[in-house]
């Protein structure tokens, strides 16, 4: 059976998020078609207590709501993110690396809490910081954590974002540069919103690892939960079966954002930065100035995901070029509520009008994920008369990968969706000089 999982989320206890109920998550999972969902923040005492009170173990290592009728179909995996921080020998300063941890039982979670507390870690902020001396210490501590229970799994999160292991902040070139001896315990890495298998294929070290995709959502909203996910082909539904698939690198396919939407895809400086006013600059890797300095403010530009991946390819001795396709199976997708909003020309994907149309599509197809699996002809047939024609055509264009983001995301600003055409990832060089203060600068 094909099982859709989304194994990275956050509860209301991770900074700045409102209260999130398990029932709301379960309902959203049902509409989306996500079978198994990571609880987020399972080390946090209050969220942990809520999980213990509301969930019961259904299949080994998988949990369901004790109450709530249909919502009891949803399965949860105990999961948290830990931010590991250490200095490395590769670049100056302390590097923070976000890591997803999966746990097979509440007992394993309790052991991890006790071990982390013995190292002085505070579990009260949703995603705790584990401060380490350097890669040797990271390796020793992570191995100790993993040895608490053979079912605990570490997955480096959103590896290409600035807070990911391969990100541009305090860069390192290899997993062992940061994880030390624990690097060999890594079976999978998370693609994150700003990279997909095509981008990660540039990095030789990832060839033998599984790539998984998760939403990293902080909300049960339909354009957040399951906005990226991983499909596994399993013989049975259990924690062990999912773990075995990850460890054997058996991913059926992943659903990915188009990386061009990611906030850090190309290199540059966004408008509004100090010394910029409304001026900005954006460069694809072949167009970044040789000194990597911003032509407007003179400071180093923020290096994007694509440029970073090409750079790591070189430092790992491969110098690969970006290919059009990957041997890994994946699709690019845009959350349905954002597709509907685009189709009917509404700015807010959370508006009532969009929500009503979302319900109609889900009722017609069973789940949102089904929409991305069926042929375009089926979409037209099933949705004819159910939603406006513009929505159907927008869905078909996205299924055909005929969409892009303009400008592509860079330096913390998301790309803006454009449907009906694609745009090149290379040859991009835009410098818009600031209107105000221009005379003083130049
Ligand atoms: Zn994170
Ligand atoms: Zn600048």
């Amino acid at each position: 059976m094909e099982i859709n999982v989304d194994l990275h989320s956050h509860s209301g206890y991770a900074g700045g998020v409102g209260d999130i109920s398990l029932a709301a998550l379960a309902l959203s999972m049902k509409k989306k078609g996500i079978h198994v969902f990571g609880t987020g923040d399972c080390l946090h005492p209050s969220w942990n207590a809520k999980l213990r009170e509301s969930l019961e173990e259904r299949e080994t290592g998988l949990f369901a709501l004790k109450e709530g009728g249909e919502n009891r179909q949803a399965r949860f995996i105990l999961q948290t993110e830990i931010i590991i921080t250490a200095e490395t020998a590769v670049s100056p300063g302390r590097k923070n690396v976000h890591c997803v941890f999966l746990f097979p039982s509440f007992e394993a979670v309790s052991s991890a809490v006790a071990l982390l507390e013995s190292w002085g870690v505070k579990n009260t902020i949703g995603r705790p910081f584990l401060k380490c001396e350097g890669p040797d210490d990271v390796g020793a501590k992570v191995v100790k954590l993993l040895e608490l229970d053979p079912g605990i799994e570490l997955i480096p999160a959103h590896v290409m974002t600035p807070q990911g292991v391969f990100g541009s902040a305090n860069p390192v070139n290899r997993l062992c540069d940061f994880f030390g001896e624990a690097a060999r315990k890594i079976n999978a890495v998370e693609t994150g919103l700003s990279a997909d298998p095509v981008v990660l294929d540039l990095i030789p070290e990832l060839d033998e690892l599984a790539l998984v995709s998760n939403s990293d959502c902080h909300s049960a909203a339909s354009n957040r939960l399951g906005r990226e996910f991983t499909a596994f082909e399993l013989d049975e539904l259990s924690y062990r079966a999912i773990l075995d698939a990850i460890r054997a690198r058996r991913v059926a396919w992943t659903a990915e954002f188009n990386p061009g939407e990611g906030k850090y895809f190309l290199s540059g400086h966004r408008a509004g930065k100090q010394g910029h006013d409304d001026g900005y600059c954006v460069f694809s890797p072949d167009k970044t100035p040789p000194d990597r300095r911003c032509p407007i403010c003179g400071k180093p530009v923020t290096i994007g995901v694509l440029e970073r991946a090409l750079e790591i390819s070189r430092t790992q001795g491969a110098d690969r070029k970006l290919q059009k396709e990957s041997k890994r199976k994946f699709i690019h997708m845009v959350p349905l509520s954002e597709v509907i909003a685009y189709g009917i020309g509404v700015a807010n994907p959370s508006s009532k009008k969009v929500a009503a149309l979302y319900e109609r599509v889900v009722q017609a197809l069973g789940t949102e994920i089904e929409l991305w699996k069926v042929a375009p002809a089926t979409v037209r047939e099933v949705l004819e008369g159910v939603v406006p024609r513009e929505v159907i055509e927008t869905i078909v264009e996205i299924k055909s990968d005929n969409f892009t983001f303009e400008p592509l995301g860079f330096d913390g600003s998301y790309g803006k969706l454009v449907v009906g055409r694609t745009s090149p990832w290379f040859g991009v060089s835009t410098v818009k000089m600031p209107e105000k203060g221009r005379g003083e600068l130049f």
Side-chain angles (χ1 to χ4, degrees):
M1 61 187 134
E2 194 167 271
I3 296 294
N4 303 321
V5 308
D6 175 1
L7 300 178
H8 181 182
S9 84
H10 291 280
S11 74
Y13 295 97
V17 201
D19 194 25
I20 301 171
S21 84
L22 287 160
L25 292 170
L27 181 63
S28 222
M29 286 167 68
K30 180 168 176 267
K31 289 180 188 171
K32 203 86 184 188
I34 294 290
H35 304 109
V36 182
F37 184 70
T39 58
D41 306 349
C42 68
L43 307 175
H44 188 281
S46 309
W47 187 237
N48 184 289
K50 182 88 196 156
L51 296 173
R52 281 177 186 268
E53 170 195 311
S54 316
L55 301 177
E56 61 188 7
E57 191 164 23
R58 198 60 64 80
E59 299 82 13
T60 313
L62 295 182
F63 297 81
L65 282 167
K66 285 180 190 161
E67 289 158 17
E70 274 193 76
N71 286 347
R72 295 168 71 221
Q73 292 299 318
R75 293 293 181 269
F76 294 91
I77 271 185
L78 299 170
Q79 169 264 321
T80 191
E81 191 174 43
I82 296 178
I83 303 173
I84 304 178
T85 114
E87 289 196 24
T88 71
V90 186
S91 58
R94 210 159 241 291
K95 185 167 181 67
N96 293 336
V97 174
H98 289 206
C99 296
V100 168
F101 282 85
L102 308 177
F103 297 89
S105 63
F106 278 109
E107 291 71 40
V109 172
S110 298
S111 312
V113 168
L115 184 62
L116 288 164
E117 278 174 359
S118 77
W119 292 331
V121 174
K122 296 209 180 351
N123 285 316
T124 47
I125 51 166
R127 53 183 147 192
F129 279 86
L130 173 58
K131 212 172 162 186
C132 300
E133 297 294 326
D136 288 349
D137 193 30
V138 172
K141 286 201 164 90
V142 168
V143 166
K144 268 202 181 115
L145 253 172
L146 296 176
E147 281 174 352
L148 291 172
D149 188 302
I152 300 176
E153 186 71 6
L154 153 71
I155 302 173
H158 40 79
V159 284
M160 296 308 300
T161 66
Q163 298 79 28
V165 64
F166 286 133
S168 60
N170 315 94
V172 299
N173 299 319
R174 287 184 166 74
L175 291 172
C176 64
D177 290 343
F178 183 80
F179 286 105
E181 62 164 321
R184 62 189 169 80
K185 301 272 186 188
I186 295 169
N187 301 297
V189 302
E190 185 185 85
T191 63
L193 304 183
S194 47
D196 66 4
V198 166
V199 171
L200 295 183
D201 279 349
L202 290 166
I203 301 178
E205 194 179 17
L206 301 181
D207 288 351
E208 301 308 317
L209 300 186
L211 299 184
V212 296
S213 216
N214 300 308
S215 69
D216 194 359
C217 64
H218 294 59
S219 144
S222 70
N223 60 334
R224 297 285 185 255
L225 186 147
R227 60 187 168 176
E228 291 203 329
F229 64 89
T230 305
F232 292 112
E233 185 60 41
L234 304 179
D235 293 334
E236 58 157 41
L237 185 62
S238 70
Y239 181 89
R240 189 75 229 181
I242 293 170
L243 193 66
D244 286 348
I246 292 172
R247 291 182 178 173
R249 286 82 153 141
R250 264 191 291 107
V251 168
W253 57 282
T254 55
E256 310 277 345
F257 265 37
N258 179 321
E261 182 173 8
K263 287 197 286 186
Y264 293 96
F265 187 61
L266 295 184
S267 305
H269 270 174
R270 67 179 184 275
K273 257 191 145 73
Q274 203 183 15
H276 274 244
D277 293 320
D278 59 343
Y280 65 88
C281 60
V282 54
F283 307 104
S284 53
D286 55 328
K287 295 287 182 185
T288 302
D291 61 358
R292 287 187 159 186
R293 285 190 178 271
C294 169
I296 299 169
C297 72
K299 294 188 186 129
V301 292
T302 307
I303 298 300
V305 163
L306 187 56
E307 189 161 348
R308 228 356 242 150
L310 289 160
E311 186 174 69
I312 296 168
S313 188
R314 284 193 296 276
T315 53
Q316 293 192 359
D319 200 11
R320 293 181 180 173
K321 301 284 173 277
L322 194 73
Q323 304 297 311
K324 283 209 160 55
E325 281 166 23
S326 172
K327 63 180 191 310
R328 302 177 193 260
K329 269 179 79 178
F330 75 99
I331 61 161
H332 280 143
M333 125 193 135
V334 176
L336 175 59
S337 49
E338 290 174 14
V339 175
I340 293 171
Y342 184 95
I344 61 172
V346 168
N348 180 8
S350 312
S351 74
K352 276 195 181 142
K353 204 170 165 191
V354 172
L357 290 169
Y358 182 89
E359 291 300 324
R360 284 202 230 161
V361 174
V362 167
Q363 267 174 21
L365 276 145
T367 66
E368 178 179 337
I369 288 175
E370 195 58 25
L371 182 71
W372 306 113
K373 288 167 67 178
V374 298
T378 311
V379 172
R380 287 205 174 94
E381 201 182 301
V382 176
L383 295 183
E384 179 74 49
V386 174
V387 291
R389 185 162 292 267
E390 304 79 53
V391 172
I392 299 176
E393 289 317 310
T394 309
I395 292 170
V396 169
E397 292 283 16
I398 292 193
K399 286 177 70 68
S400 317
D401 228 346
N402 193 24
F403 69 100
T404 186
F405 295 85
E406 283 180 1
L408 296 162
F410 70 101
D411 193 30
S413 57
Y414 281 113
K416 196 171 176 310
L417 178 64
V418 181
V419 176
R421 63 168 186 269
T422 57
S423 57
W425 285 358
F426 285 86
V428 176
S429 173
T430 308
V431 182
K432 182 187 175 290
M433 287 298 176
E435 291 298 330
K436 209 174 79 185
R438 191 172 169 176
E440 296 150 41
L441 282 163
F442 298 92

